[in-house]
Amino acid sequence: MWHDLVVVQIPIVEKILRTVAVYALILVLFRLAGKRGLAGLNTFDMVVVFLLSNVVQNAIIGNDNSLLGGTIGAVTLIVVNSGVTRWLARDPRAARLLEGTPTTVVRDGRLVPGALRELALRPSELEHAIRLQNGDDVSDVARARLEPDGQLLVTLKAAEQSATRGDVEELRQRLESIERLLATLTEQQGGQGRR
């Protein structure tokens, strides 16, 4: 029993190469699937992710069921992913190549023709994202775009945006200055009436 836990049953280099190859394959598949696949995982997407992990499991572990073999595979995945993430953070060209570029879906309150269809994005998903970001409908949106990581970013038209704390603080300061001015005018009028 202990032997099966700690003895790696395939060469360690093969284990690492298998893990890196499967990582690269999954990266390419997700890149080809597009941004929409990352935008919001629905039930079907979750089924695919669960099945995908099961399908590639044997490609990573091979004929090795040892604890040490699994540990080597897990560490390899983490190291490779960390390296790729750092590379993408430093190299904008690599980020464009591997992640893609944002796609504008709404401009000046109107849908960009064909953008939703190209991304396989349903209008209800776009409407939901707009409501989550305090808009009522597409006409409230200055610009909306689907980022390479699958996030739908919505910029509301200036008139449709909610007040910020800074806006409220500015109004409070203006009201205080108006109150001071009114108090000064009232004192001046009171002083003139006594003459």
Side-chain angles (χ1 to χ4, degrees), residues 15 34 52-53 78 81 100-102 129 132 136 148-149 160 171 183 192-193:
K15 171 75 71 182
L52 186 61
S53 65
I78 298 300
N81 190 60
T101 56
L132 284 176
D136 290 325
D149 65 359
E160 302 299 331
L171 286 174
Q192 289 176 355

Side-chain angles (χ1 to χ4, degrees), residues 1-52:
M1 174 178 115
W2 291 106
H3 181 266
D4 290 340
L5 284 176
V6 294
V7 175
V8 180
Q9 295 151 1
I10 64 172
I12 292 175
V13 172
E14 180 183 341
K15 171 75 71 182
I16 292 170
L17 289 176
R18 284 172 171 265
T19 304
V20 171
V22 170
Y23 178 89
L25 173 68
I26 299 299
L27 185 70
V28 168
L29 290 175
F30 273 110
R31 178 65 174 100
L32 293 175
K35 295 176 275 230
R36 164 55 184 101
L38 302 173
L41 296 178
N42 61 30
T43 304
F44 304 111
D45 298 329
M46 292 299 290
V47 168
V48 168
V49 169
F50 286 132
L51 291 176
L52 186 61

Side-chain angles (χ1 to χ4, degrees), residues 97-108:
L97 175 69
L98 294 178
E99 294 179 334
T101 56
T103 303
T104 300
V105 293
V106 176
R107 188 176 293 118
D108 297 324

